[in-house]
Each structure stands twice: as structure tokens, then as C-alpha cells.
Amino acid sequence: MDIDYKFYAKEIISILVSRVFDDSLSDKTITYLELAKLIKFPEPYTGNYFQGNIGRTLGEVCDLLINVNVPQDLKPVPIIQTLVVSKTSLLPSYGLKVIVPGYDKLPDNEKRTFVITEHEKIQRYGENWLQVLKALQIKIHEKHGASTKGKLYNPFGSEGSPEHRNVKQYIIKYHHLLGYKGHEAAFEEYPLLSGDKIDVVFRDNDTIYAYEAKSIRSNDEDLLRGIFQCVKYKKVIEAETKVGARNTQKVICALVTETNFEDKKYKKYKKFCEELGIKYYCVSVNEKNN
């Protein structure tokens, strides 16, 4: 049976973009098997035959996105196919080396770091994905409840989801429970020279209290990202002070999350925070959807 690789590649792009926009999904990834079933890819779904065919189809996805006719400022298009992962490793297969030379040689922890970074790019690309779909004459797949109607928000971006904004407002209102006991007004989206923006900052004389908010929507990737965002913010503020761009004597960075780091599954994040000198607070702001 001949396989129309371009047809299935477009189906894959439609599915993956729909997952990016589906705000009911905290984890945007999908396994190779789940994807194959969803796009009704020719069976069988096991063995080298399947691996070769689905790999060739994802290669076609790569070609389509590299050559897509979108404005230059929208290039390069993020590697959305990194959302397709192995059921066992939860990582893209070694075939990603075709797009990312050397990927197959990386140890798994470094592969995971690369993938997390790419997933953030995918999310931040936001509504630009709609221009990509239009240029490729692809309709968004709405099976997951994704919708292109109205304003789309990026749960990891500066605007954030409603749940993310609720956590920010909690920090502003109850900062005395989160380490800052002063009375100065809060700064939201506090800008740094690196181009980063901190969710909430309080400046009290020569001390900066910086808070990164992670809501109930945040998955493991986003929690890990939040820890290292705090590390980055602290180092950037200290560097800005060193060159005279900011007047600060002390920087206190804290992660405020709705995930309980005392739970067995997340204790590694508690350990990371302690080893990196990042304060963390676990709060309950939003209700879980059943």
C-alpha cells in the first residue's frame, strides 16, 4: 500500500497545533501510537515497518514547516514534532537528529532539557501557528476541544492563563505569607535587560523580592522551567547591579506553585530548590476540574 506521506504530515500538524491551543491539556505531548491511531495512519503500528513510515511522515512535517511561506519574522518555526514522544522514554526518537544534528548522541537528561526548551518555544509561538496552518492550507483539528474563536492565550506567556493570573493576584495580596512582609506596591511583569519578565516583584529599599508563579495548569516541564527561571532572574539582577544598571544589594527569588512539593512525585523539585537556593511556596488558589 502506497502511503501519502504529505497528507498524513498535514494531519499531524493539524493535530499538534490543536493540542497547543487546547487549554484543557496541561501535557501537550502525544505518543507515536496515539498519534497514528488519531490520524488513522496505515497499520500495523508496531515494528520497524511502522517506525520507518511514521518517521518518514514526521520528516515530511519537518520539510513542510521549514519551507512554509510565512513572514520572515515568524521564522524559524518551532519544532512542533517534538511533542510526539516515545511511550517509554517520553522523549522524541533518535530520528530528531535529522532536524537537530547530534540529538541522538545526547544523554537522556540533556535530550529532555532540549525538548523542554523547544516546547516553550512552541507555546510562545502562540497565534502565529494559525498563520502557518493558513499558509499550508490546513484546518485546525478540533477533536480535543481546541478553538480558534476569540483570543487565544498562552499558559506560559506573559499574559498567562486565568489560573496563572489568579496565582499572581494571590502573591500580590498575600505576600506577607510568602516572605515579603513589607508594604511596597507590587510590580507585575517586571522587565529585565535579558528580555525576561518576572511575574511579580516587590522592591523594598535595596532588596528585590521576585516571584515566579506556576498554577494548577503547570506540568512537570513547567515546574522545572520555573525553578530555573528563578535561578536566571537572580543571576541577571545581580549582573545588572554589577554593571550599574540596577541598584540592588539583595535579591530573593521564590517559586510559588500550586503543586505540593511534599508529594512523593515532586520531592525532587523540592530538592532542586534547596540545592539551588530558591525559596518555594506551595499554595492552593484554583479549584481542580474533575
Side-chain angles (χ1 to χ4, degrees), residues 127-145:
E127 294 188 25
N128 294 326
W129 285 114
L130 300 182
Q131 293 198 46
V132 171
L133 293 184
K134 183 178 180 180
L136 293 173
Q137 297 182 320
I138 297 174
K139 292 184 179 180
I140 194 166
H141 194 285
E142 299 193 7
K143 181 178 178 63
H144 300 289

Side-chain angles (χ1 to χ4, degrees), residues 141-197:
H141 194 285
E142 299 193 7
K143 181 178 178 63
H144 300 289
S147 174
T148 59
K149 296 178 181 178
K151 182 175 176 60
L152 300 170
Y153 63 79
N154 169 8
F156 302 126
S158 59
E159 179 183 337
S161 68
E163 290 83 356
H164 179 257
R165 294 197 296 271
N166 289 342
V167 175
K168 287 171 60 176
Q169 290 307 307
Y170 181 95
I171 295 169
I172 293 169
K173 186 175 182 180
Y174 297 107
H175 57 78
H176 56 284
L177 301 176
L178 307 172
Y180 175 59
K181 302 183 183 300
H183 303 283
E184 297 299 325
F187 291 86
E188 294 187 64
E189 302 302 319
Y190 188 83
L192 301 179
L193 291 180
S194 61
D196 297 285
K197 292 183 180 179

Side-chain angles (χ1 to χ4, degrees), residues 61-68 75 77 99:
V61 169
C62 173
D63 290 342
L64 287 171
L65 295 181
I66 286 176
N67 298 310
V68 64
K75 294 182 178 181
V77 177
I99 317 166

Side-chain angles (χ1 to χ4, degrees), residues 17 53 81-82 84 114 215 223 248 255 269:
V17 171
N53 284 330
Q81 54 270 50
T82 56
V84 188
F114 169 79
S215 77
L223 293 172
T248 305
L255 178 67
Y269 297 134

